[in-house]
Amino acid sequence: MTCSALDTVEPQALGVTYTFTAADSSTATPYPLTVAFTGRRKVTQHEPGAVDTFEVIETVTDVLPSSGRVSLSTRIENIPAGTWEVTARPQERAGTDDPPAEFLPVAATTTGHTGFAPLIKVRAPGVRLGAWPGLVTTGAGAALALQSLFVGRMGLPALPVLALSLIACLLGVLGARVYYMIEHPVRRRGWMNMSSGMCIQGFVLVAVAVLLGGALLLKLPIGSLLDATAPGLLLGMAIGRLGCFFGGCCAGRPTASRWGRWSSDRKLGRLRLPTQLYESAMALLLGATASVVLVVTDRATGGAVFVAALAAYVAGRQLLFPLRDLPRHTTHGRHIVLIVSIIIVLGAILAGILSGGAIR
């Protein structure tokens, strides 16, 4: 299945990627590289006019020496549909010595056709279309399946809990979208914009709120329901984070380290710290730990497992945030959240022990 059916759908845009190799030097410092993209539409009925040409300047501010292949993608919107010939020319910045002349890659020319703009905005080398929704949906399914196992183990009604969890998932997606738009007001371009994102914080907040409200309405034991949900929630996030890695979101900082993995943020494909994979592994480990605790305990812990697991996940995210290629909005917020999360983890563990959950 391809997206060819959308090739001529309006609005149209042109996506172009220039790929070069970073300078191979162990002594040079990171250097900027400016690339000028110039395009000319191939027309046959008349001479090219002003609307049939464009020039776009893009700059990579921190090319890391010895970091290998770098792909710079740009999108040109509000141009006529058709076939375009595009040339990318690296430029020396006037009045500066960066990048050094020997680091300047060669120019390149290619020909391509415009396409459906929302798809063009999310296509780039290293980005797999459909990876994010596919893996997030898979994660949700795995989460519900694992939750059902613990629901049966704890003697909770399976069908009501499943229906409640499905509603929590759907509303959680809405919460993730709202949270993202609040946190990134500059990027507000409509609810259906495919290049905009979602935040896992919003999903968890809304989903948990729905579970709590539903438990009260259905007169379900809240602690048992939350404990049964914890392993599946973390498993779902572990699978979903793989979608972030292959889908080009939540990208890590650039690196030249052997521990880096080539990935993209939909604009720059380069060697990066794979923070999405780190977070996926962390969620998987916490989910496995929560599962083991629930299996070996004789009875539910009154929600202590859920609170401890979720707080540990929040604490782990604070440690991973500096590895992301994203600016932070506060100076001390991350440290405060980290300390509070650790305190909650310790308190939840103590509460679980005092609740009398015996070990089999």
Side-chain angles (χ1 to χ4, degrees):
M1 186 174 65
T2 69
C3 300
S4 58
L6 299 174
D7 285 348
T8 59
V9 178
E10 296 290 341
Q12 291 275 292
L14 184 69
V16 185
T17 297
Y18 175 66
T19 300
F20 61 95
T21 301
D24 188 9
S25 173
S26 59
T27 58
T29 58
Y31 60 92
L33 179 67
T34 298
V35 180
F37 293 90
T38 56
R40 178 187 179 92
R41 188 165 74 107
K42 290 188 174 182
V43 294
T44 56
Q45 298 178 352
H46 57 83
E47 289 296 319
V51 296
D52 298 315
T53 60
F54 69 81
E55 181 177 23
V56 175
I57 306 296
E58 297 281 4
T59 299
V60 185
T61 59
D62 55 347
V63 180
L64 301 182
S66 302
S67 61
R69 178 169 57 97
V70 180
S71 292
L72 172 62
S73 297
T74 187
R75 286 88 178 177
I76 301 92
E77 302 180 62
N78 301 318
I79 58 175
T83 301
W84 291 75
E85 184 178 47
V86 183
T87 299
R89 292 187 177 87
Q91 298 181 332
E92 294 186 58
R93 300 197 304 175
T96 69
D97 295 327
D98 50 27
E102 63 269 22
F103 288 2
L104 207 65
V106 298
T109 300
T110 189
T111 301
H113 200 278
T114 56
F116 186 43
L119 284 178
I120 295 296
K121 291 178 182 178
V122 297
R123 291 185 62 185
V127 176
R128 276 71 170 178
L129 288 179
W132 188 88
L135 284 165
V136 167
T137 302
T138 301
L144 293 174
L146 186 56
Q147 182 199 47
S148 297
L149 293 177
F150 284 104
V151 163
R153 181 182 177 84
M154 295 181 181
L156 299 175
L159 289 180
V161 171
L162 178 60
L164 177 60
S165 298
L166 285 171
I167 295 173
C169 286
L170 294 175
L171 293 181
V173 171
L174 180 63
R177 184 65 163 171
V178 172
Y179 195 104
Y180 181 89
M181 296 184 73
I182 293 174
E183 194 175 44
H184 303 86
V186 177
R187 301 184 187 181
R188 291 178 186 168
R189 296 181 182 177
W191 286 85
M192 299 305 294
N193 179 20
M194 297 175 65
S195 62
S196 295
M198 300 183 185
C199 285
I200 189 64
Q201 299 97 312
F203 175 87
V204 172
L205 288 173
V206 172
V208 172
V210 172
L211 284 178
L212 292 175
L216 292 174
L217 289 176
L218 299 175
K219 298 182 179 179
L220 299 173
I222 293 177
S224 298
L225 176 61
L226 291 179
D227 281 343
T229 301
L233 178 62
L234 289 164
L235 175 62
M237 290 192 287
I239 298 174
R241 278 301 173 200
L242 299 178
C244 293
F245 180 78
F246 293 110
C249 62
C250 308
R253 289 166 46 191
T255 182
S257 167
R258 68 180 65 182
W259 302 106
R261 291 294 178 268
W262 204 94
S263 61
S264 174
D265 63 358
R266 300 178 185 170
K267 184 174 181 65
L268 275 176
R270 61 201 309 186
L271 202 64
R272 297 176 179 271
L273 296 171
T275 54
Q276 309 98 317
L277 302 184
Y278 296 158
E279 189 168 336
S280 174
M282 178 187 69
L284 185 61
L285 177 61
L286 290 173
T289 303
S291 298
V292 170
V293 171
L294 291 177
V295 167
V296 301
T297 52
D298 190 36
R299 55 180 176 270
T301 61
V305 169
F306 176 86
V307 174
L310 195 61
Y313 180 73
V314 172
R317 278 172 59 86
Q318 308 314 305
L319 298 175
L320 292 176
F321 276 149
L323 304 182
R324 281 192 180 185
D325 194 19
L326 291 173
R328 301 310 303 164
H329 301 296
T330 61
T331 303
H332 304 293
R334 185 176 67 87
H335 301 91
I336 294 173
V337 173
L338 176 61
I339 294 172
V340 172
S341 299
I342 293 174
I343 293 173
I344 292 175
V345 170
L346 297 176
I349 293 174
L350 179 61
I353 294 174
L354 295 178
S355 69
I359 304 297
R360 288 183 176 181

